Amino acid sequence: MCGIVAYVGEREALPILLAGLQRLEYRGYDSAGIALVPESTGGRAAPAEGEHRLLVRKRAGRLRGLRELVEQTVTQTPGVRYGTGIGHTRWATHGPPTDANAHPHTDCTGQIAVVHNGILENAVRLREELAARGHRFLSETDTEVVAHLLEEELAASGGQVTKKAWLAMLQKLEGSFAMAAVDARHPGRIWLARYSSPLIVAPGADGWLAASDIPALLPYTRKVFICGDREAVCLQRREANFFTFRGEPIQKVVHQIGWRAEQAEKRGYTDFMIKEIHEEPAIVERLSERYAPAGQVELPLMWPPSWWEQRRQGWLIASGTAAHAGWVAKRWLERIAGLPLEADVASEFRYRDPLFRPEDWALVISQSGETADTLAGLRYCRQHGVPTLALVNVVGSSIARETDQVVYTDAGPEIAVASTKAYTAQLVVLYLLASYVAKVRGRGQVSTEGLAALPRLPEQLADVLAREQELERVAQQLAEVEHVFYIGRGVDQALAAEGALKLKEISYIHAEAYAAGELKHGPLALIGRGTPVIAVLTEPNLVVKTLGNVQEVKARGAWVAAIGMEEYQSQARAAGVDTWFGLPELPRDLRPMLAATPLQLLAYHVARLRGSDVDRPRNLAKSVTVE
Ligand code: M6R
């Protein structure tokens, strides 16, 4: 999805904008651009009226292209500095990824430039009206209307963008947006606004910064102000004024971000994805110390034990990998805590007219806290009076702010598009939640063994990571194939779904996950000589059943690799498994946290062997803020 960065201050804006855009690359983008406002530094007269010109540079493709363009064309003019600027990475929605469609977009005079994340739903009508009034459009984007709307407001605001003009323009927009605008006639000022798309403002680097995502700001500050919906800001070198869309001033609360700048850097690893997988042992250790010190669950939950006793059913609201974590949680909550969880994906949930009952609750899971479908599902629950508990990684994100209560998964910034460490962190917190709910519902004995073993998990994860080469060898068998099937039962089915998602999104191999018992109801027709099948074997009461299905695919010539508890190896070999990756002994409930890592490593190494851009797979974005 798109990214925004903005700076106004005493330093040159360009290097700050380019560094910020680089830190936003992970969001996924297909073009990038910047707009800088010239200002006199005294050695030369300020630009005369009519001479004001923004310096706008934009280019389709990677940020490298924009950098080259900027190096070729931005020359320092003596006496002129560029201390105010906005930058953008675009993920195409309206119009293809071309230079013309890249942001910033300008008005007819070229004196106003705008960058925007989100979708303007009334852009087509606005564009027709503006064109009828003589405005000339240079792009196919929805965003360009903003520059022209602002241009029209100038007559009423003394010829430059003012608070009045900014607010009057905002009233005309429908849809979602985080946006930033600069005016060539007014250096030292940036106008910002947010509705339903993240926007963060922070002091730092001898001025003020704004960005759509925290990682862009981390080198300068860890104190941030998170803009709420229908909030606007005017940034100047030494101050930031926040106000509502009705113009009332707002006192903002500062948020302290726990992340460090180096957490958003590769630190010697080839890719962010592999770095993030290797962070998993430390994350599990941190989470168990924080939320289960001395083997007792201490989650920051505001609902009292009696509230949990009365619950009859939960509703999962999550997408992609977060939904897969929820599918594991469904098994835990139902088996350990005796509390049913209806587990759909958020994009289906929001349109299915769920039949809520008074004692229902909703479990929302999201790494970014910004996923549009998940956020919509959360809002739907709140509108219908269903209490919401959200597990979120990004502090202050929309879901974290809008939910009734939030538990942070504390995995640090996840930069690779493929979610890995965030998933493992979600599993840990979900397991602790299920254990807590079990305890307050009088079923605590079910989870004692797992809680006692949790401190062992980081070391076991580290052992799995130390055997990465074994998985690299398995990956070699898969590098040239076109289809892979993942199978499992119970929790292993949910793990298979996640393993298949990892493989398909970064290696572009068609990967399908099936409940192993479903194979003979159709998918078995696809199995032939050499078809690769990955079996997940952690469920003690289901391993024999899944191995029965392994024998069925072997009988049709499949090549089977299995990831499972070491104690099942001999049974698996007897069933015909060709390649085995064994996991050390661990109580049943903790096994998903251990089995996920080899599935992630396998996908990673297949993708590397196929030469994929592992961190930035094609067509995908890190945080899916549009429906
Ligand atoms: O930020 P979220 O956890 O809400 O994101 C949900 C999905 O978009 C995300 O997990 C996606 O499926 C990842 N690319 C999976 O690796």
Side-chain angles (χ1 to χ4, degrees), residues 319-322 365-371 374 399 417-420 426 498 501-502 505 620-624:
S319 309
T321 289
I365 310 173
S366 175
Q367 187 284 129
S368 63
E370 302 293 348
T371 301
T374 309
I399 290 174
V417 165
S419 188
T420 53
Q426 285 159 357
E498 178 55 11
L501 174 61
K502 283 292 87 81
E505 71 179 322
L620 300 179
K622 182 60 186 163
S623 126
V624 185

Short mmCIF file of all heavy atoms in Angstrom, two decimals, residues 319-322 365-371 374 399 417-420 426 498 501-502 505 620-624, ligand 1:
data_model
loop_
_atom_site.label_atom_id
_atom_site.label_comp_id
_atom_site.label_asym_id
_atom_site.label_seq_id
_atom_site.Cartn_x
_atom_site.Cartn_y
_atom_site.Cartn_z
N SER A 319 -7.40 -11.46 8.99
CA SER A 319 -7.15 -11.75 7.57
C SER A 319 -5.80 -12.43 7.42
O SER A 319 -4.89 -12.19 8.22
CB SER A 319 -7.11 -10.44 6.76
OG SER A 319 -8.24 -9.66 7.02
N GLY A 320 -5.67 -13.23 6.36
CA GLY A 320 -4.38 -13.82 5.99
C GLY A 320 -3.75 -14.60 7.14
O GLY A 320 -4.40 -15.42 7.81
N THR A 321 -2.49 -14.32 7.37
CA THR A 321 -1.75 -15.03 8.42
C THR A 321 -2.38 -14.84 9.79
O THR A 321 -2.43 -15.78 10.61
CB THR A 321 -0.29 -14.53 8.41
OG1 THR A 321 0.33 -15.04 7.23
CG2 THR A 321 0.49 -14.98 9.62
N ALA A 322 -2.88 -13.65 10.05
CA ALA A 322 -3.52 -13.40 11.36
C ALA A 322 -4.75 -14.30 11.51
O ALA A 322 -5.03 -14.81 12.60
CB ALA A 322 -3.91 -11.93 11.48
N ILE A 365 -7.52 -9.99 15.35
CA ILE A 365 -6.06 -10.20 15.32
C ILE A 365 -5.49 -9.48 14.09
O ILE A 365 -5.99 -9.66 12.98
CB ILE A 365 -5.70 -11.70 15.23
CG1 ILE A 365 -6.46 -12.51 16.29
CG2 ILE A 365 -4.20 -11.91 15.40
CD1 ILE A 365 -6.30 -14.01 16.15
N SER A 366 -4.46 -8.68 14.31
CA SER A 366 -3.84 -7.98 13.18
C SER A 366 -2.43 -7.54 13.54
O SER A 366 -2.22 -6.93 14.59
CB SER A 366 -4.68 -6.76 12.82
OG SER A 366 -4.05 -6.02 11.81
N GLN A 367 -1.48 -7.85 12.69
CA GLN A 367 -0.12 -7.36 12.89
C GLN A 367 -0.11 -5.83 12.77
O GLN A 367 0.30 -5.15 13.68
CB GLN A 367 0.82 -7.98 11.84
CG GLN A 367 2.30 -7.70 12.03
CD GLN A 367 2.74 -6.31 11.62
OE1 GLN A 367 3.41 -5.62 12.41
NE2 GLN A 367 2.36 -5.84 10.46
N SER A 368 -0.59 -5.34 11.63
CA SER A 368 -0.48 -3.90 11.35
C SER A 368 -1.48 -3.07 12.14
O SER A 368 -1.23 -1.90 12.41
CB SER A 368 -0.73 -3.66 9.86
OG SER A 368 -2.05 -4.06 9.53
N GLY A 369 -2.61 -3.67 12.45
CA GLY A 369 -3.68 -2.89 13.09
C GLY A 369 -4.39 -1.98 12.11
O GLY A 369 -5.16 -1.11 12.52
N GLU A 370 -4.14 -2.16 10.81
CA GLU A 370 -4.73 -1.26 9.82
C GLU A 370 -5.48 -1.99 8.72
O GLU A 370 -5.99 -1.34 7.81
CB GLU A 370 -3.64 -0.39 9.16
CG GLU A 370 -2.82 0.47 10.11
CD GLU A 370 -3.63 1.58 10.78
OE1 GLU A 370 -4.77 1.82 10.35
OE2 GLU A 370 -3.13 2.18 11.74
N THR A 371 -5.51 -3.31 8.72
CA THR A 371 -6.11 -4.06 7.62
C THR A 371 -7.59 -3.66 7.47
O THR A 371 -8.37 -3.76 8.42
CB THR A 371 -5.96 -5.56 7.88
OG1 THR A 371 -4.56 -5.82 7.99
CG2 THR A 371 -6.54 -6.39 6.76
N THR A 374 -10.40 -6.17 8.39
CA THR A 374 -10.39 -6.48 9.83
C THR A 374 -10.94 -5.29 10.61
O THR A 374 -11.75 -5.46 11.54
CB THR A 374 -8.95 -6.83 10.27
OG1 THR A 374 -8.44 -7.83 9.38
CG2 THR A 374 -8.90 -7.34 11.69
N ILE A 399 -6.80 -0.25 14.73
CA ILE A 399 -7.50 -1.31 15.46
C ILE A 399 -7.19 -1.19 16.95
O ILE A 399 -8.08 -1.32 17.80
CB ILE A 399 -7.11 -2.70 14.89
CG1 ILE A 399 -7.73 -2.84 13.50
CG2 ILE A 399 -7.57 -3.83 15.81
CD1 ILE A 399 -7.33 -4.08 12.73
N VAL A 417 6.98 -8.47 3.79
CA VAL A 417 5.54 -8.58 3.52
C VAL A 417 5.00 -9.89 4.11
O VAL A 417 3.91 -9.93 4.68
CB VAL A 417 5.28 -8.48 2.00
CG1 VAL A 417 3.87 -8.95 1.66
CG2 VAL A 417 5.47 -7.04 1.54
N ALA A 418 5.76 -10.96 3.98
CA ALA A 418 5.32 -12.25 4.54
C ALA A 418 5.44 -12.19 6.06
O ALA A 418 6.51 -11.96 6.61
CB ALA A 418 6.17 -13.37 3.98
N SER A 419 4.33 -12.41 6.71
CA SER A 419 4.32 -12.31 8.17
C SER A 419 4.89 -13.59 8.78
O SER A 419 4.44 -14.69 8.46
CB SER A 419 2.88 -12.11 8.62
OG SER A 419 2.83 -11.84 9.98
N THR A 420 5.88 -13.47 9.66
CA THR A 420 6.48 -14.65 10.29
C THR A 420 6.54 -14.48 11.80
O THR A 420 5.81 -15.12 12.54
CB THR A 420 7.90 -14.90 9.73
OG1 THR A 420 8.67 -13.70 9.87
CG2 THR A 420 7.86 -15.33 8.28
N GLN A 426 1.66 -13.89 17.79
CA GLN A 426 0.20 -14.02 17.95
C GLN A 426 -0.15 -15.35 18.60
O GLN A 426 -0.99 -15.43 19.51
CB GLN A 426 -0.49 -13.91 16.57
CG GLN A 426 -0.53 -12.49 16.02
CD GLN A 426 -0.72 -12.43 14.51
OE1 GLN A 426 -0.77 -13.46 13.83
NE2 GLN A 426 -0.83 -11.22 13.97
N GLU A 498 -1.15 -22.00 6.82
CA GLU A 498 -0.14 -20.95 6.93
C GLU A 498 1.11 -21.30 6.12
O GLU A 498 1.69 -20.44 5.45
CB GLU A 498 0.19 -20.71 8.41
CG GLU A 498 1.26 -19.67 8.68
CD GLU A 498 0.99 -18.30 8.07
OE1 GLU A 498 -0.14 -18.05 7.59
OE2 GLU A 498 1.93 -17.49 8.02
N LEU A 501 0.32 -20.62 2.51
CA LEU A 501 0.27 -19.18 2.23
C LEU A 501 1.68 -18.61 2.11
O LEU A 501 1.98 -17.84 1.18
CB LEU A 501 -0.51 -18.45 3.32
CG LEU A 501 -0.53 -16.92 3.22
CD1 LEU A 501 -1.19 -16.45 1.92
CD2 LEU A 501 -1.25 -16.29 4.41
N LYS A 502 2.56 -19.02 3.04
CA LYS A 502 3.94 -18.51 2.98
C LYS A 502 4.58 -18.87 1.65
O LYS A 502 5.20 -18.05 1.01
CB LYS A 502 4.81 -19.09 4.12
CG LYS A 502 4.64 -18.54 5.50
CD LYS A 502 5.08 -17.12 5.71
CE LYS A 502 3.98 -16.14 5.39
NZ LYS A 502 2.97 -15.90 6.37
N GLU A 505 2.97 -16.93 -1.46
CA GLU A 505 3.13 -15.48 -1.59
C GLU A 505 4.56 -15.06 -1.91
O GLU A 505 4.76 -14.04 -2.55
CB GLU A 505 2.58 -14.72 -0.38
CG GLU A 505 3.36 -14.84 0.90
CD GLU A 505 2.75 -14.02 2.04
OE1 GLU A 505 2.26 -12.92 1.81
OE2 GLU A 505 2.79 -14.51 3.19
N LEU A 620 1.76 -7.63 -3.84
CA LEU A 620 1.31 -7.62 -2.44
C LEU A 620 1.82 -6.38 -1.71
O LEU A 620 2.80 -5.78 -2.11
CB LEU A 620 1.81 -8.87 -1.72
CG LEU A 620 1.33 -10.20 -2.29
CD1 LEU A 620 1.90 -11.35 -1.49
CD2 LEU A 620 -0.20 -10.26 -2.29
N ALA A 621 1.14 -6.06 -0.63
CA ALA A 621 1.55 -4.94 0.20
C ALA A 621 1.57 -5.40 1.64
O ALA A 621 0.88 -6.35 2.01
CB ALA A 621 0.57 -3.79 0.05
N LYS A 622 2.35 -4.71 2.45
CA LYS A 622 2.50 -5.14 3.84
C LYS A 622 1.21 -4.94 4.61
O LYS A 622 0.79 -5.79 5.37
CB LYS A 622 3.63 -4.35 4.50
CG LYS A 622 3.90 -4.75 5.96
CD LYS A 622 4.29 -6.21 6.07
CE LYS A 622 4.42 -6.70 7.49
NZ LYS A 622 4.40 -8.17 7.56
N SER A 623 0.61 -3.78 4.41
CA SER A 623 -0.61 -3.59 5.19
C SER A 623 -1.71 -3.21 4.22
O SER A 623 -1.58 -2.27 3.44
CB SER A 623 -0.29 -2.58 6.29
OG SER A 623 -1.14 -1.53 6.30
N VAL A 624 -2.78 -4.01 4.24
CA VAL A 624 -3.80 -3.90 3.18
C VAL A 624 -4.89 -2.96 3.66
O VAL A 624 -5.89 -3.38 4.26
CB VAL A 624 -4.35 -5.29 2.80
CG1 VAL A 624 -5.30 -5.20 1.63
CG2 VAL A 624 -3.19 -6.22 2.46
O1 M6R B 1 -1.62 -6.67 9.38
P1 M6R B 1 -2.52 -7.86 9.39
O2 M6R B 1 -2.07 -8.92 10.32
O3 M6R B 1 -3.96 -7.49 9.65
O4 M6R B 1 -2.44 -8.43 7.93
C1 M6R B 1 -3.26 -9.48 7.52
C2 M6R B 1 -2.79 -10.04 6.20
O5 M6R B 1 -2.85 -9.07 5.20
C3 M6R B 1 -1.35 -10.58 6.28
O6 M6R B 1 -1.22 -11.53 7.29
C4 M6R B 1 -0.96 -11.22 4.94
O7 M6R B 1 -1.71 -12.36 4.71
C5 M6R B 1 0.54 -11.53 4.91
N1 M6R B 1 1.09 -11.17 3.64
C6 M6R B 1 0.83 -12.97 5.13
O8 M6R B 1 2.18 -13.25 5.12
#
